[in-house]
Amino acid sequence: MTDPQPCRVIGVLDDGAASLSATALAFLRRADWVIGGARTLALLDDEIAPSAIRRDLTGQLSAVPGWLHQARDAQQTSVVLATGDPLCHGIASYLASRLCIEAIEVLPNVSTLQLACARFGVAWQDAKIVSVHSKDAGEWQTGTPPGHGLYALAQAVRQHDRLLVLTSPDNSPDRIARLLLAEGLGDDFVLCVAERLCSPDERTWADLSAADAAQQTFADPNVLLLLRTTPRPRPVCMGLADSAYQQRQPDKGLITKQEVRAVSLARLQLRADSRVWDIGAGSGSVGLEAARLCPQGHVWAIEKNEADAAIAQQNVRAFGISNHTLVQGKAPEGLDAWPDPDAVFIGGSGGELAALIALCLRRLRPGGWLVMNFVTLENLAVATQTLQTLDAAWDVLQLQAARSKPILQMHRMAAENPVWIVCAQGTAP
């Protein structure tokens, strides 16, 4: 018995057979099995042998490896039809992860993103490619946590100047334009949309504003280019002055002061992809700087006081970040819906300190840190006694800063209130 031939994964464009090489066409015409989406199968109907077994993979992606195994077991040849480059957010990598690498051979075509860039004369070597093909999660709302189909794009528009977007019927260019508007980026990008590339009714839209694109309907399939027109901000990641934050007036308060904030963030041991909880967010300063330090991570923050939560939300908008979710409520209510964290900061406990410490240590991922700030002896005592009861590894740092203040033509040092920073670590990795 001879070794079965590999499945050929062939990239196709909307001009059908005209987009295929002679080699790809020969494989397609001789194939015993042809697998593809309904639209692609119809596009190449005349090139598929009448005796070939056809399978529509629409909504049945998980069934494709099984079909290919059937073909191989029967010593039959197979072809999978994909759009453009099957290795650019396409089916080829999915099949390679489920079949041995020798079981497939990829015959790529020009990516639809590459075609769109050619139509608009846009160099794409430094562009960020994002796919929003996912289950429809509805319109984007600010503060939406990971899991939404547009979440990765909401982060990417903060970090890149050129984005090439593989859209979907649900996550369409108009919905993406509304995301830009919701995130305050409506004036920072122009949108270029290429509809039905390589088909007789191909159409392109160049230099659309987000406001205009948000009101339009675009023909499917399409791809989208987002081009930044304003300089990308280069914000300070941590250690901002206290005055950079909106705070409760007339008495400024409920903010972790700059010096304490810097030490607390250092003790959290954050990574680029850390998941962070900010409990008792106050003005939001620690969580917001953590969000900037974790561009591939996310911060979940909770504040029980309605007025303070509103102030924190103002700071979220002013910071221009998309990886921060703020809720108004009293912890630990709602924390069971949050994913296990890599780091937890407790700035306020609402009288639930002992319970919160136990919950956080239980939920911390391996190697994670719990960092707490206290200004009263009573809360310090509760924290250390609770940690000792839980047999946790912990330490306490007392931090007291003094800031220079003018006095006549000279300066004096004015002491800030002392703060205790209590740190405890979860299970070692």
Side-chain angles (χ1 to χ4, degrees):
M1 180 181 294
T2 59
D3 291 335
Q5 293 188 44
C7 167
R8 271 75 188 205
V9 185
I10 299 175
V12 181
L13 299 174
D14 274 1
D15 51 353
S19 70
L20 301 184
S21 67
T23 300
L25 268 175
F27 283 135
L28 174 61
R29 289 165 176 164
R30 295 198 302 265
D32 299 309
W33 289 64
V34 179
I35 301 166
R39 188 172 62 87
T40 310
L41 290 171
L43 195 64
L44 292 167
D45 182 66
D46 292 341
E47 308 299 333
I48 301 172
S51 60
I53 298 170
R54 303 187 188 204
R55 291 289 185 268
D56 180 1
L57 60 75
T58 306
Q60 299 190 82
L61 182 61
S62 61
V64 176
W67 294 337
L68 297 180
H69 278 301
Q70 290 182 47
R72 286 173 65 84
D73 292 345
Q75 295 289 304
Q76 294 175 318
T77 59
S78 59
V79 160
V80 173
L81 301 174
T83 300
D85 184 349
L87 285 168
C88 181
H89 291 280
I91 194 174
S93 57
Y94 173 83
L95 295 178
S97 68
R98 286 156 178 80
L99 306 168
C100 64
I101 193 63
E102 295 81 8
I104 67 170
E105 177 185 348
V106 180
L107 285 75
N109 213 316
V110 176
S111 167
T112 53
L113 294 175
Q114 185 180 358
L115 275 177
C117 288
R119 297 291 192 268
F120 296 114
V122 173
W124 60 285
Q125 68 270 9
D126 59 349
K128 171 68 174 177
I129 297 174
V130 181
S131 173
V132 293
H133 277 273
S134 61
K135 184 178 180 180
D136 183 21
E139 292 283 326
W140 176 259
Q141 304 292 331
T142 56
T144 297
H148 192 286
L150 294 177
Y151 183 84
L153 180 61
Q155 311 316 311
V157 293
R158 301 284 186 188
Q159 303 171 36
H160 300 276
D161 295 333
R162 297 183 181 187
L163 298 100
L164 314 181
V165 186
L166 291 162
T167 61
S168 69
D170 295 315
N171 292 325
S172 51
D174 54 301
R175 176 178 282 184
I176 293 168
R178 290 190 289 274
L179 176 151
L180 294 175
L181 294 171
E183 290 295 318
L185 298 171
D187 295 330
D188 295 336
F189 287 89
V190 295
L191 292 79
C192 301
V193 182
E195 303 174 337
R196 296 177 175 172
L197 286 164
C198 294
S199 71
D201 51 353
E202 174 182 314
R203 184 168 60 169
T204 59
W205 302 81
D207 298 333
L208 288 170
S209 70
D212 289 340
Q215 303 300 319
Q216 291 190 216
T217 300
F218 298 93
D220 190 67
N222 58 67
V223 293
L224 169 67
L225 278 57
L226 295 176
L227 309 177
R228 180 174 278 279
T229 56
T230 61
R232 182 154 39 102
R234 298 173 61 248
V236 173
C237 290
M238 66 172 286
L240 275 74
D242 299 342
S243 59
Y245 297 90
Q246 293 291 323
Q247 301 170 52
R248 182 190 296 172
Q249 300 290 346
D251 295 323
K252 295 194 175 188
L254 286 185
I255 184 170
T256 303
K257 298 296 181 64
Q258 183 184 46
E259 299 83 1
V260 178
R261 192 186 327 135
V263 175
S264 296
L265 287 164
R267 292 302 306 269
L268 286 170
Q269 296 289 283
L270 301 176
R271 296 178 173 83
D273 60 352
S274 290
R275 301 171 181 172
V276 183
W277 290 5
D278 180 11
I279 299 174
S283 300
S285 62
V286 173
L288 289 169
E289 293 189 18
R292 281 187 173 170
L293 292 168
C294 307
Q296 285 89 55
H298 195 87
V299 175
W300 286 262
I302 186 168
E303 169 54 47
K304 67 182 180 65
N305 183 278
E306 184 176 358
D308 291 324
I311 290 173
Q313 191 61 60
Q314 292 176 30
N315 287 321
V316 171
R317 288 193 293 269
F319 260 57
I321 58 174
S322 303
N323 60 334
H324 186 285
T325 300
L326 173 66
V327 297
Q328 194 261 309
K330 183 179 178 181
E333 295 174 7
L335 270 58
D336 56 343
W338 293 1
D340 290 347
D342 299 290
V344 178
F345 177 75
I346 297 179
S349 61
E352 303 290 342
L353 182 56
L356 282 173
I357 291 173
L359 183 150
C360 292
L361 289 179
R362 186 172 66 250
R363 295 283 304 277
L364 269 175
R365 299 175 75 187
W369 282 91
L370 167 63
V371 175
M372 300 172 279
N373 286 179
F374 303 113
V375 295
T376 69
L377 291 166
E378 289 76 12
N379 278 340
L380 174 64
V382 171
T384 54
Q385 290 167 12
T386 302
L387 291 169
Q388 194 161 355
T389 300
L390 295 171
D391 199 25
W394 56 274
D395 65 89
V396 179
L397 167 68
Q398 179 181 295
L399 186 64
Q400 183 168 15
R403 297 180 177 181
S404 62
K405 302 285 185 181
I407 177 171
L408 300 177
Q409 301 302 314
M410 296 172 287
H411 292 78
R412 65 180 179 87
M413 298 305 294
E416 298 287 324
N417 288 330
V419 176
W420 289 281
I421 301 176
V422 181
C423 305
Q425 192 173 25
T427 306

